[in-house]
Amino acid sequence: MPRLALPAVAVSVVLALAGCSGDTSPGTPTGGSSAVTPSESAVTPSEAATFNAADVAFAQGMIPHHGQALAMARMAPGRAESPEVVDLARRIEAAQEPEIAEMTSWLEAWGEEVPDAAAGGATDGHAAHGMDAEEHEAGGMLTAEEMAELEQATGAEWDRLFLTGMIAHHEGAVAMAERQLTEGSYPPALELAEAIIEGQQAEIEEMRALLG
C-alpha cells in the first residue's frame, strides 16, 4: 500500500504547483511560453551591423539637409517677430542637432565619408555633399539666393520666408525618409526615418497654421 500511494502523492504535488503558477490568459499555454521577452524583440548585433547603400545615401544626404535647417533656425533670434516662430526654430534645432550626431556616428562606423553639416547652410551656390543639383531641389533645400534673402530679412517678412522655406524643407526631408523606409536596411536608420516623418509632418501642420 505505501508503494502504491507514491504516484498519487506525486500527482497531488504537481497539481498544487500548477495552481501556484499564476493566472494565464485564454489561449496562452501554461508557463507563458508564447510570450515575447525583451531580449527577443531587441535588435541583435548582426542586425545592427547590416547596412546597405541606401542607408549610406540617407545619412550622407540628411546630414547637410539637417545642417541647412539648423542654419535657418539659428537666424531666428534677433530676426523673427513671432514668439511662436522663435520657439519652433528652437525646437527644430534641438531635435536635429542630435540626429546629425547619430548619423555621423553611423558613417564613421561604416568607414564612409562624413559630409560637412555646415555645408547645407552655405550661400555659395554649391549643392550639399551627397546630393546632385536635382536631388538638392527635390529635397526642399533652399538655394544660396534664398538663404541670403532669409539672412537679410527681419520681422514679419523673416517669419514668412522662414515658414514657407521650412515647410518645403520639411517636405523634402519626409520624402527622403520615406525612400529610406523603402530601400534601407539598417534598423536605427529606419527608426530615425520614421521619427523624421512623424515629427516633421506635425511641424508642417504647425507652420501652415502660423502662416494662416
Side-chain angles (χ1 to χ4, degrees):
M1 285 299 292
R3 292 173 60 186
L4 291 173
L6 286 174
V9 171
V11 170
S12 300
V13 171
V14 170
L15 291 175
L17 289 174
C20 294
S21 63
D23 295 334
T24 58
S25 301
T28 302
T30 302
S33 59
S34 65
V36 177
T37 64
S39 61
E40 291 172 348
S41 61
V43 176
T44 66
S46 60
E47 290 173 331
T50 302
F51 68 95
N52 61 19
D55 299 314
V56 175
F58 172 70
Q60 289 182 334
M62 194 63 80
I63 286 174
H65 194 277
H66 273 21
Q68 187 178 77
L70 293 184
M72 295 169 67
R74 287 167 180 163
M75 294 183 196
R79 288 187 175 87
E81 180 178 272
S82 167
E84 289 83 0
V85 172
V86 174
D87 178 66
L88 172 64
R90 178 192 58 78
R91 285 185 278 118
I92 288 172
E93 183 177 357
Q96 297 195 21
E97 214 165 21
E99 291 174 353
I100 289 175
E102 182 180 14
M103 290 183 285
T104 297
S105 70
W106 301 342
L107 293 171
E108 289 174 344
W110 299 336
E112 299 288 345
E113 184 178 354
V114 179
D116 181 8
T123 57
D124 58 6
H126 295 294
H129 174 85
M131 295 181 177
D132 58 28
E134 183 177 346
E135 289 171 328
H136 188 275
E137 182 178 356
M141 298 279 282
L142 274 64
T143 64
E145 292 76 15
E146 289 170 331
M147 285 294 290
E149 184 181 9
L150 182 65
E151 193 170 20
Q152 294 164 8
T154 58
E157 177 65 7
W158 190 91
D159 293 353
R160 183 187 66 80
L161 290 173
F162 174 79
L163 292 171
T164 54
M166 192 63 81
I167 286 172
H169 201 271
H170 273 25
E171 288 173 340
V174 168
M176 293 166 68
E178 288 174 339
R179 180 176 178 179
Q180 167 63 14
L181 290 180
T182 301
E183 301 178 4
S185 65
Y186 186 57
L190 298 175
E191 291 174 7
L192 178 58
E194 290 176 346
I196 287 172
I197 292 170
E198 180 179 357
Q200 296 203 17
Q201 281 182 334
E203 288 176 350
I204 288 170
E205 295 305 314
E206 180 181 356
M207 289 186 285
R208 285 175 176 162
L210 287 171
L211 278 173

